[in-house]
Amino acid sequence: MTTWRFVGKSLPRSEDRRLLSGLGRYTADLVAPDACRLFIVRSPHAAARIAGIDAGVAAAMPGVRLVLTPDDPDLMRLGDFTSRVSRLTPDGTPNFVPSYRSLSVGAARFVGDAVAAIVADTLAQAKDAAEALAIGWQPLPAVTDLRAAVAAGAPEVWAEAPGNVCFLHDQGPATEVEHAIAGARHRVSITYPISRVIAAPMETRAALAHWDAAEERFTLTAPLQNPHFIREEYAERVLGIPGHRLRVIAPDVGGAFGLKESPFPEYGLALIAARRIGRDVLWVGERSESFIADHHARDMHSSVTLALDEDGIFQALRIETLANLGAYLSWNGVHVPTNNLGGLSGVYRCRRIHARVRGVFTHTPPTSPYRGAGRPEATYAIERAIDLAAVRLGIDRVELRRRNLIAPEQMPWATGFVFTYDSGEFERNMDDALALADWRGVEARRADAQARGKLLGIGVANAIEIANGPVTGPFTESADVSFDATGAATVTLGVHSQGQGHLITFAQIAADLLSLAPEEIRVRFGDTEQIEHGTGTFGSRSVVAGGAALARAAEGIVARGRRIAAAAFECAENDVGFDADGFHVIGTDRRLSTREVARLAFRLPPGAIGGLGLSEKVIVAPDGPSFPNGCHVCEVEIDPETGLWEITRYTVVDDVGRVINPKLVKGQIHGGVAQGVGQILGEAIRYDAAGQCLSGSFLDYQMPRAADLPFIACKSNEVPTTMNPLGAKGAGEAGTVGALVVVVNALADALAPLGIDHVDMPATPERLWRAIRQARAA
């Protein structure tokens, strides 16, 4: 059994000194002096035919090296982007997958759709040339609103998708659920939107393309979550070349949140341009571009019904959802609204669940995963329904949850709806969170707030999610542990880091598994030339999957190390032990450190012990998914005269399995909470009737600020999973999964004395002010 010396300790992040002192290596920092700049010409119309593009004047302008239009021979040979998940249409056939190309052919389908590309010596020259392009626009009617898109007579985004419906997905026993709802003593229903948001990472999307004419080989450098998938997508599907002719490098990444796992048009355009002009080509997305051209997220509209018996025991849950897919299907666009529906079960005993999801095309950018990717939406559905049921049945909110919680002794628990939980102590999470939040003292604080003219509310929400769950199959991951002749260790992983602190996290794991110190280990990732396979970082999977691969590789290192040590000790291999100090002859004081054994591995006689060196490379899949879970408690105060509100307390108790680095886990929880809170506070992408984006800058798109968040009290309830050797469950998305709903629950509790039982997101002061005025008038 491993003795954890470093796992579980809050060691400082390895990369912070470099990043904070300006020594980060982001994509735009790696540009050669003679690199050209790429500028994308984008549609100003949400829907329009393109009668033609005259590039003659633009191509002749100073500094212009290349103008790419949809009819360019190189671009016409490029393949479409992949839609990884397929569902069925209402008539039972596979869903329509639109042609999603580097440049739109014949028509534009959202404001920001890429229609031409210009490469010039400078960005200013490229922008000037873009103004000279003559494009024959023929504007068409557009639809951006989700519900309007499925209304009779709505403009169709694609003729192949009548009524703008891409798919109709049913999951769960529909008839059984309907009967249970019809026969239940109590039923509560709620209809609500999940607002459309953007990821808005600090580092926008970017691409640096290089063409090596001697080797006939591309190199793409970009801030990516999954460089190996991008290599496969662009080499095999888009460029049509063998994989070894495309190297993909993801250097430092300034935030991702799901946005940077998808292929985008700019990457392929930069590669083609670099080959054509024989110079490196750089594209860096401007912030105004990101609002209209990045993939967006969420944007759903749901109706939920929860049925209960006379004792408040859950009998059935039904949800019907419209999901906005945008104008094209992103890599995981269909995945988001359909593949994480298992979260509707929550942490409760409710085996009858039916979900129906309609995927809808609109004249908007494609939607793709964003921190949580369907998990927060599922938790929102069950936890809002529970709060409404508690109010209408006159049962305490906590008590109603307690009556329906899955108990630890019932594990493993098959929910009857997609998921089987292997472990968890859900009631303990809730009790710890309530105690830490001083739930019992809320009435005194409510009275104090009332004396100050404020409305105080408190909300609770239990959250659970799946980590490292499959999309179309098990997600494998790779790890390569190697020692050089000096005994120095390098760990190369297929996962990546976008700010999570993976360098120290994996160094801690490797140090314990290999009997080294974290500072003795170099951790690398993000380069397809350094490791052949990787799935990447998303879905709270890095430590779950990457850690499992690292543990398996470490086992191989230790096994070979025993053989080498046995040769050095001149004893039997079975007489060699391994512990926190390295290798030793059992029952004696004869020892060799791991580094000493590694050096010996390069001095063996030829052919001895299977060859020279000490390294191990593995590709593994964890035994199954894990299920991070927890409880959130939020307290708010509302000024009823203005609608202004603030969060005064926030508490999280999370079970993310074995905690590798408590400080980093707490940082992930804080960041996730901030993103969930931001969506409730005001984050929302809005369009006018013509499809123009009305929230196209941070002046109009309300990001959360430091002042919007109080101190966030966090506590870990470690219940290790059995699905991977580390017992880790994942922490990256946990904060967002619970935050989205608990804030709304708290707001509804504050407004309850006025007869208001729900408020839609984003809960802006204006929206609250109007709701309060309407309630008082009624």
Side-chain angles (χ1 to χ4, degrees), residues 632-636 645-652 667-681 683 702-713 735 739-740 742-743:
H632 294 228
V633 179
C634 175
E635 200 165 302
V636 301
W645 62 278
E646 64 175 331
I647 299 173
T648 54
R649 292 182 175 217
Y650 201 104
T651 304
V652 185
Q668 286 296 297
I669 300 298
H670 286 189
V673 167
Q675 288 186 274
V677 166
Q679 187 164 357
I680 304 302
L681 278 168
E683 287 191 60
Q702 183 180 329
M703 292 281 283
R705 294 168 171 81
D708 294 324
L709 293 163
F711 171 79
I712 300 174
L740 210 62
V742 75
V743 180

Side-chain angles (χ1 to χ4, degrees), residues 31-42:
V31 182
D34 67 340
C36 292
R37 297 296 296 270
L38 171 67
F39 180 74
I40 308 299
V41 181
R42 304 189 182 278

Side-chain angles (χ1 to χ4, degrees), residues 40-46 108-115 266 289 292-294 365:
I40 308 299
V41 181
R42 304 189 182 278
S43 171
H45 305 285
R109 289 179 171 84
F110 65 90
V111 172
D113 206 353
V115 298
E266 296 87 1
E289 272 186 292
I292 61 171
D294 282 357

Side-chain angles (χ1 to χ4, degrees), residues 329-661:
L329 299 182
S330 71
W331 174 54
N332 265 336
V334 176
H335 160 86
V336 174
T338 62
N339 278 54
N340 285 316
L341 291 170
L344 290 166
S345 300
V347 295
Y348 308 105
R349 303 183 304 274
C350 182
R351 294 188 185 275
R352 301 185 190 94
I353 298 177
H354 174 242
R356 171 166 289 177
V357 183
R358 275 190 293 170
V360 180
F361 289 116
T362 61
H363 290 104
T364 61
T367 51
S368 69
Y370 169 66
R371 202 167 193 168
R375 301 166 180 85
E377 296 92 318
T379 298
Y380 190 97
I382 180 66
E383 292 293 321
R384 277 304 291 135
I386 293 173
D387 259 27
L388 287 172
V391 171
R392 295 176 190 177
L393 274 64
I395 303 175
D396 178 78
R397 292 171 288 168
V398 173
E399 173 59 24
L400 182 57
R401 287 173 167 85
R402 196 181 303 279
R403 292 181 190 180
N404 291 279
L405 284 172
I406 302 164
E409 60 270 19
Q410 294 174 307
M411 297 294 179
W413 177 264
T415 66
F417 186 74
V418 189
F419 293 163
T420 296
Y421 305 144
D422 69 291
S423 62
E425 298 178 356
F426 307 140
E427 188 168 22
R428 177 183 164 189
N429 290 344
M430 188 170 70
D431 287 341
D432 286 356
L434 295 175
L436 192 59
D438 188 19
W439 183 273
R440 292 184 177 181
V442 70
E443 293 309 321
R445 296 192 296 276
R446 200 189 305 269
D448 176 69
Q450 186 176 3
R452 292 182 281 107
K454 301 290 184 68
L455 300 171
L456 184 143
I458 192 168
V460 61
N462 292 312
I464 192 165
E465 57 162 323
I466 186 172
N468 199 52
V471 175
T472 57
F475 272 160
T476 58
E477 199 48 82
S478 63
D480 182 349
V481 178
S482 61
F483 290 80
D484 64 22
T486 71
T490 297
V491 172
T492 308
L493 299 162
V495 297
H496 198 15
S497 176
Q498 301 94 47
Q500 299 95 329
H502 285 171
L503 287 179
I504 188 60
T505 298
F506 285 102
Q508 287 176 254
I509 297 170
D512 276 340
L513 295 175
L514 299 170
S515 295
L516 296 168
E519 57 270 20
E520 293 181 285
I521 298 167
R522 182 188 181 201
V523 178
R524 302 186 303 177
F525 31 61
D527 189 338
T528 60
E529 197 155 87
Q530 292 177 354
I531 195 162
E532 294 88 348
H533 169 77
T535 297
T537 289
F538 50 85
S540 304
R541 69 180 302 275
S542 294
V543 170
V544 174
L550 177 54
R552 185 70 60 80
E555 289 176 3
I557 292 290
V558 172
R560 177 164 169 75
R562 288 182 193 274
R563 298 172 65 191
I564 297 168
F569 291 135
E570 297 182 334
C571 69
E573 186 179 336
N574 290 339
D575 291 334
V576 177
F578 181 76
D579 58 22
D581 295 318
F583 299 88
H584 63 278
V585 179
I586 297 171
T588 75
D589 60 358
R590 299 177 66 193
R591 287 189 170 273
L592 287 170
S593 70
T594 303
R595 293 194 67 169
E596 288 172 325
V597 168
R599 287 194 289 267
L600 286 173
F602 290 88
R603 303 169 190 165
L604 297 169
I609 315 178
L612 300 175
L614 183 58
S615 63
E616 185 76 12
K617 183 183 297 183
V618 300
I619 299 173
V620 303
D623 294 336
S626 58
F627 295 93
N629 58 87
C631 182
H632 294 228
V633 179
C634 175
E635 200 165 302
V636 301
E637 287 187 6
I638 303 173
D639 183 342
E641 301 308 315
T642 63
L644 287 170
W645 62 278
E646 64 175 331
I647 299 173
T648 54
R649 292 182 175 217
Y650 201 104
T651 304
V652 185
V653 172
D654 255 303
D655 168 17
V656 298
R658 175 164 284 115
V659 175
I660 308 301
N661 187 309

Side-chain angles (χ1 to χ4, degrees), residues 80-81 95-101 158 166 327-329 361:
D80 290 356
F81 299 131
N95 66 267
F96 168 64
V97 180
S99 177
Y100 187 12
R101 303 181 64 82
W158 299 96
C166 173
Y328 306 95
L329 299 182
F361 289 116

Side-chain angles (χ1 to χ4, degrees), residues 231-262:
R231 176 189 62 182
E232 294 160 14
E233 177 77 352
Y234 274 92
E236 297 174 8
R237 284 191 61 87
V238 178
L239 297 171
I241 59 175
H244 70 272
R245 289 183 56 198
L246 174 61
R247 178 186 184 186
V248 176
I249 302 171
D252 289 328
V253 180
F257 315 119
L259 171 69
K260 294 175 181 176
E261 70 176 50
S262 296

